[in-house]
């Protein structure tokens, strides 16, 4: 009988990191560290690397939970009743926060922040992994345990920071959410019910850990998945002359959001529309090889796409998702807009298919199936 070689981080290095598809979610390092193996660390460039190679047990779990590997994809699809192109949808809505304070700072309707505030207030969770602006472009993953902290992390905006040219490859608009779950889990005696907000790659890593029943995923009780076309790379922003071409002064940006196009809301009141194809020039290379858009394995998936201005599109995926939305609606923290569900659904399908095609084409170029 021929023995299969054991899986280890070497396989991740070769098949994911070296090929340029690592989304730096931190999942592999979190698992290895949370289980006190300690073979891995996040390097200065934000990518995982060996810390002590000799400690590696060749358990292969870092490989299995990586969102960029495929071994557990069918298990996830079965578990979440997945069907093409955007997975199982129980129901869908356009929703906004009723609080003006939240609406003012939110990316779209503030549903994410309002729902988390509701869950915290009613003790469904002890905290939530969200991501706070950190400097000009970067987002820092944090655990918010108060309504004020949730409000601080709402939205997606650029800050006033200046030192563009000092920022290296480690700066992206994506936050290492899974790594933060691990750090938080050290406090598990006090706090052990967590919600997580994340992009599809991050939520997939969490779900793979849950399928394998491994630490630190047991403390995650609710997942809010963001739609995602791409994260941005500071390095590419500088190299591509994107700001110059579109005549954008970073200091004047009030807020940004993504629907059919990329929108920049300026402090002057002007709104700049940039077609998504043009935004690809500043996307992280790993994101161009990614096929996920609609966060198919989260409890609820959310985006701006498909809803009127000031509302968030919500796809309810699970029974927990359904209960939580119903609960917050009856509590009054959020409100629905009577939207055309078929129209919303077909728009989300269209973007999911668009992203799938782009991912397949990029992977083909990289010679990855
Ligand atoms: C990288 C990225 C790409 C996206 N692409 C699309 C898209 O193509 N189409 C679309 O319709 N919607 C997209 N979205 C989702 C959309 O921008 C809104 O986040 C979503 O509609 C929720 O809006 P809200 O007003 O309800 O959220 P808010 O109440 O404003 O809360 C937003 C929450 O997201 C968290 N967050 C912000 N940035 C990140 C990040 N980088 N990683 C993890 N969490 C984060 C914040 O901490 C906050 O908790 C994207 C979001 C991100 C972060
Ligand atoms: S011990 Fe397991 S999780 Fe850690 S690096 Fe080795 S194979 Fe990966
Ligand atoms: S688990 Fe995340 S950080 Fe680790 S190799 Fe995969 S994508 Fe990169
Ligand atoms: S496109 Fe979004 S889901 Fe895909 S790797 Fe990038 S951040 Fe993750």
């Amino acid at each position: 009988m021929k023995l299969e070689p054991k899986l280890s981080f070497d396989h991740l290095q070769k098949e994911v990191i070296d090929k340029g598809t690592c989304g730096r979610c931190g999942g592999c390092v979190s698992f290895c560290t949370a289980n006190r193996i300690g073979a891995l660390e996040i390097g200065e460039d934000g990518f995982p690397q060996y810390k002590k190679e000799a400690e590696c047990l060749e358990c292969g779990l870092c490989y299995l939970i990586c969102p960029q590997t495929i071994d557990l994809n069918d298990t996830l699809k079965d578990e979440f009743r997945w069907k093409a192109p955007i997975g199982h949808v129980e129901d869908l809505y356009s929703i906004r926060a009723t609080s003006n304070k939240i609406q003012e700072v939110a990316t779209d309707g503030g549903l994410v922040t309002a729902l988390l505030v509701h869950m915290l207030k009613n003790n469904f969770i002890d905290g939530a992994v969200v991501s706070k602006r950190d400097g000009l472009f970067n987002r820092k993953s944090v655990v918010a345990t108060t309504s004020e902290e949730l409000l601080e992390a709402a939205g997606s905006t650029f800050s006033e920071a200046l030192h563009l040219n000092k920022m290296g490859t480690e700066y992206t608009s994506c936050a290492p959410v899974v790594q933060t779950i691990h750090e938080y889990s050290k406090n598990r005696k006090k706090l052990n019910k967590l919600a997580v907000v994340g992009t599809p790659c991050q939520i997939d890593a969490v779900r793979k850990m849950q399928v394998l029943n491994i630490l630190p995923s047991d403390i995650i009780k609710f997942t809010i998945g963001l739609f995602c076309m791409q994260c941005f790379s500071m390095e590419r922003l500088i190299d591509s002359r994107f700001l110059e071409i579109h005549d954008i002064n970073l200091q004047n940006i009030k807020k940004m959001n993504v629907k059919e196009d990329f929108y920049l809301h300026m402090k002057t009141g002007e709104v700049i529309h940039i077609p998504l194809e043009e935004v690809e020039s500043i996307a992280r290379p790993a994101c161009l090889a990614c096929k996920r858009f609609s966060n198919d394995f989260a409890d609820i998936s959310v985006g701006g796409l498909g809803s009127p201005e000031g509302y968030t599109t919500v796809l309810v995926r699970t029974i927990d998702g359904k209960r939580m939305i119903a609960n917050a609606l009856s509590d009054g923290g959020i409100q629905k807009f009577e939207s055309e569900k078929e129209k919303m659904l077909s728009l989300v399908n269209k973007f999911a298919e668009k992203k799938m095609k782009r991912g397949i084409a990029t992977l083909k170029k990289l010679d990855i199936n």
Side-chain angles (χ1 to χ4, degrees):
M1 190 180 78
K2 188 172 165 259
L3 285 175
E4 289 292 326
K6 281 188 176 173
L7 276 177
S8 73
F9 180 71
D10 292 340
H11 296 82
L12 262 190
Q13 182 75 51
K14 204 166 143 213
E15 293 174 32
V16 176
I17 303 159
D18 291 350
K19 298 256 184 183
T21 63
C22 168
R24 302 193 229 175
C25 72
C28 49
V29 179
S30 302
F31 166 73
C32 195
T33 315
N35 290 278
R36 296 168 197 272
I37 306 168
L40 301 180
E41 65 182 0
I42 298 281
E44 275 182 15
D45 57 2
F47 287 97
Q49 63 186 29
Y50 272 123
K51 182 178 169 195
K52 290 183 191 159
E53 190 172 348
E55 304 289 315
C56 174
L57 306 172
E58 297 187 339
C59 66
L61 288 166
C62 57
Y63 181 89
L64 290 176
I65 63 177
C66 172
Q68 308 300 65
T69 62
I70 58 171
D71 299 51
L72 289 177
N73 287 2
D74 286 344
T75 314
L76 281 187
K77 284 179 178 175
D78 286 348
E79 180 120 335
F80 290 91
R81 296 184 279 166
W82 190 87
K83 59 178 193 294
I86 59 164
H88 177 72
V89 179
E90 283 277 324
D91 211 340
L92 73 159
Y93 308 103
S94 288
I95 298 186
R96 72 171 178 196
T98 46
S99 148
N100 289 336
K101 229 167 151 187
I102 296 180
Q103 278 178 28
E104 267 165 31
V105 290
T107 316
D108 291 305
L111 169 275
V112 173
T113 304
L115 186 65
L116 292 173
V117 167
H118 169 80
M119 291 172 77
L120 199 60
K121 206 174 81 188
N122 292 283
N123 296 318
F124 292 115
I125 53 171
D126 300 319
V129 181
V130 288
S131 117
K132 244 169 74 173
R133 205 176 30 176
D134 181 26
L136 181 66
F137 206 59
N138 213 22
R139 303 241 7 146
K140 184 176 161 198
S141 187
V142 292
V143 177
T145 55
T146 63
S147 302
E148 290 71 33
E149 285 170 352
L150 286 170
L151 201 66
E152 247 181 77
S156 322
T157 46
F158 293 101
S159 82
E160 306 286 339
L162 284 169
H163 311 291
L164 258 184
N165 55 351
K166 296 220 171 93
M167 295 189 166
T169 51
E170 69 272 34
Y171 285 88
T172 89
S173 61
C174 214
V177 163
V178 185
Q179 194 188 332
T180 303
I181 298 167
H182 159 60
E183 278 152 23
Y184 171 87
S185 71
K186 291 175 193 159
N187 285 330
R188 53 194 299 132
K189 274 186 202 144
K190 279 186 269 165
L191 310 159
N192 52 29
K193 292 177 290 178
L194 210 61
V196 175
V197 182
T199 52
C201 56
Q202 294 161 343
I203 299 297
D204 284 9
V206 167
R207 289 308 200 197
K208 287 182 177 186
M209 286 194 227
Q210 289 180 327
V211 157
L212 293 169
N213 204 12
I214 54 180
L215 295 175
S217 65
D218 56 317
I219 55 176
I220 296 155
K221 305 301 175 196
F222 198 79
T223 53
I224 301 181
L226 307 169
F227 294 172
C228 184
M229 258 339 249
Q230 60 246 315
C231 268
F232 305 124
S233 142
M234 177 55 81
E235 203 183 27
R236 294 193 86 196
L237 179 71
I238 299 164
D239 289 351
S240 66
R241 294 178 47 245
F242 183 86
L243 299 174
E244 218 176 304
I245 292 164
H246 294 283
D247 195 19
I248 299 165
N249 178 351
L250 277 184
Q251 309 305 318
N252 286 338
I253 296 172
K254 190 171 158 210
K255 153 178 158 166
M256 62 177 194
N257 69 351
V258 202
K259 289 173 180 266
E260 288 94 329
D261 289 338
F262 182 59
Y263 296 81
L264 292 173
H265 301 257
M266 310 306 283
K267 288 176 185 162
T268 54
E270 185 195 3
V271 181
I272 302 176
H273 293 207
I274 303 171
L276 278 180
E277 287 70 22
E278 291 181 32
V279 178
E280 282 175 11
S281 65
I282 58 164
R284 292 189 314 172
C287 294
L288 297 177
C290 171
K291 296 186 278 188
R292 311 167 177 90
F293 174 72
S294 49
N295 231 316
D296 305 353
F297 307 122
D299 287 303
I300 60 166
S301 317
V302 299
L305 186 70
S307 282
E309 187 60 30
Y311 282 83
T312 308
T313 295
V314 184
L315 305 186
V316 177
R317 309 286 196 172
T318 64
I319 299 300
D320 283 347
K322 198 172 174 171
R323 279 199 200 116
M324 212 49 80
I325 291 289
N327 207 285
L329 279 169
S330 69
D331 187 54
I334 56 174
Q335 61 188 186
K336 276 195 281 185
F337 174 84
E338 282 317 317
S339 44
E340 292 180 56
K341 295 191 177 184
E342 283 308 315
K343 229 168 148 184
M344 282 166 80
L345 206 53
S346 83
L347 205 52
V348 180
N349 285 345
K350 185 175 142 193
F351 274 77
E353 278 163 358
K354 209 168 160 175
K355 182 150 179 205
M356 175 66 75
K357 273 194 199 145
R358 185 182 79 184
I360 291 172
T362 310
L363 290 170
K364 211 167 158 193
K365 274 192 223 151
L366 295 170
D367 202 19
I368 305 172
N369 291 319

